[in-house]
Amino acid sequence: MNLLCFQNSAGENVITKKTLIRIGQLLIFYLIFYAILAALFAICMQGLMATIDDVEPKWTQGDSLIGENPGLGFRPLPAKTEDGALIWYNDKNKTTSEKWINLMDEFLKPYLQNTTGKNMIPCDYTRSPTDGQVCIVDTTLFSHCSPENNYGYNTPSPCVFLKLNRIWGWEPKYYTEATEDMPEQLVIAINGTNEEERQNIWISCEGEGPADKEHVQQFEYFPHQGFPGYYYPFRNVKNYLSPLIAVRILNPTPNVIVNIECRAWAKNIEYASGNLNREGSVHFELMVDSKASS
Ligand SMILES: *[C@@H]1O[C@H](CO)[C@@H](O)[C@H](O)[C@H]1NC(C)=O
Ligand SMILES: *[C@@H]1O[C@H](CO)[C@@H](O)[C@H](O)[C@H]1NC(C)=O
Ligand SMILES: *[C@@H]1O[C@H](CO)[C@@H](O)[C@H](O)[C@H]1NC(C)=O
């Protein structure tokens, strides 16, 4: 109080003209001070917003923390706590199959939408989408792995669906020729593909260890053994869906856990196995019980 007020001779506090002026000066000072602060903040925000794009992320590929190595994912995904990443069922017991069939039904829902009147076109190696268009993922080509066939989960040969994680703007560099480190089966598959249709991110699945290789020897891939190049690069166009590959695991030895590894092949996909720093590949475990229920 002493700062602003004088005591008059009677000991009362009075506000003098001088202190009024001083209060006014303070108010004006803060008014201007905050106005400038607000203006600076607005300018900063403006600058920041101008660099943000609704569709294109600011940090892409090598710049971003995600990196430029797309990971592989698989479905149906077992709940980690429950099954320890194990896909288990008994092909003679509907209850055990249903769980996986339901998970797949749920996963495929967006793929089964009505495409008419949307920006979705059928693509092939001579027909890529133009700006604002996306390629249809044809779900009628999954053969033994189709929803109508319960994705194989009522047979001894179930299917697992593979999908490459999306990285904005990432462009695959294709292997149009087989290389020495590829599994033999993939070499044959590439060799058997028309040259014009080799712009693919190839896929190979194998039993992980020597014992696993004994237990599972044959895989089938629908619609193809690779993700066709015309789905890339992903640019966050509306209605985009990642292409899928259904891998049918043919007659794995019943009643044992089989470790399976699938790998994606492009010159710019790095590969590392192992559980800690897995790259460009995916691991899952499968056990098909085949005993009739007692
Ligand atoms: C898909 O949508 C179009 C237009 O919205 C409609 O004419 C057509 O009947 C629909 N097709 C199916 C299979 O639902
Ligand atoms: C690739 O296929 C051709 C015939 O189409 C055959 O002559 C050749 O031996 C095959 N190469 C490999 C590595 O399988
Ligand atoms: C099928 O599996 C479920 C879950 O494991 C079990 O509870 C059920 O008894 C089995 N049904 C038959 C017919 O064995």
Side-chain angles (χ1 to χ4, degrees), residues 164-182:
L164 210 57
N165 293 344
R166 296 171 184 185
I167 295 182
W168 197 95
W170 179 80
E171 297 198 36
K173 297 193 173 75
Y174 308 105
Y175 285 110
T176 51
E177 299 291 335
T179 62
E180 272 179 13
D181 53 340
M182 285 178 178

Side-chain angles (χ1 to χ4, degrees), residues 88 90 92-96 292-294:
W88 172 84
N90 182 325
K92 307 261 187 330
N93 181 332
K94 269 201 175 136
T95 323
T96 60
S293 327
S294 47

Side-chain angles (χ1 to χ4, degrees), residues 85-277:
L86 175 69
I87 300 176
W88 172 84
Y89 70 98
N90 182 325
D91 64 1
K92 307 261 187 330
N93 181 332
K94 269 201 175 136
T95 323
T96 60
S97 310
E98 241 164 37
K99 172 182 163 184
W100 308 108
I101 296 168
N102 290 342
L103 280 173
M104 280 311 307
D105 283 346
E106 194 61 34
F107 173 68
L108 281 186
K109 252 186 202 162
Y111 287 88
L112 299 171
Q113 62 180 294
N114 184 350
T115 57
T116 46
K118 296 197 177 143
N119 60 337
M120 306 173 88
I121 59 158
C123 302
D124 61 44
Y125 295 90
T126 58
R127 188 176 180 203
S128 304
T130 55
D131 267 0
Q133 290 183 326
V134 295
C135 293
I136 290 173
V137 178
D138 192 343
T139 52
T140 64
L141 306 172
F142 293 139
S143 181
H144 295 286
C145 299
S146 69
E148 296 74 36
N149 287 323
N150 292 316
Y151 316 100
Y153 283 87
N154 54 353
T155 76
S157 304
C159 302
V160 165
F161 285 66
L162 299 181
K163 170 174 172 257
L164 210 57
N165 293 344
R166 296 171 184 185
I167 295 182
W168 197 95
W170 179 80
E171 297 198 36
K173 297 193 173 75
Y174 308 105
Y175 285 110
T176 51
E177 299 291 335
T179 62
E180 272 179 13
D181 53 340
M182 285 178 178
E184 197 189 333
Q185 187 275 330
L186 177 57
V187 174
I188 293 168
I190 295 178
N191 195 34
T193 304
N194 292 337
E195 303 243 355
E196 313 81 63
E197 300 184 350
R198 290 188 186 175
Q199 310 271 306
N200 299 314
I201 300 165
W202 304 101
I203 288 291
S204 65
C205 294
E206 286 189 301
E208 205 154 37
D212 301 312
K213 285 186 172 67
E214 290 281 312
H215 290 313
V216 52
Q217 297 180 353
Q218 220 186 329
F219 298 87
E220 286 176 347
Y221 304 85
F222 305 109
H224 309 289
Q225 200 173 340
F227 299 108
Y230 44 78
Y231 288 100
Y232 303 92
F234 162 67
R235 293 205 189 278
N236 209 13
V237 177
K238 192 167 175 263
N239 291 325
Y240 177 91
L241 290 167
S242 303
L244 301 175
I245 297 174
V247 181
R248 184 177 183 221
I249 300 124
L250 264 86
N251 295 310
T253 309
N255 311 316
V256 296
I257 293 181
V258 188
N259 294 282
I260 295 167
E261 182 183 74
C262 295
R263 177 172 174 185
W265 296 83
K267 288 175 183 167
N268 54 348
I269 294 182
E270 284 181 32
Y271 168 73
S273 61
N275 285 328
L276 283 179
N277 280 313

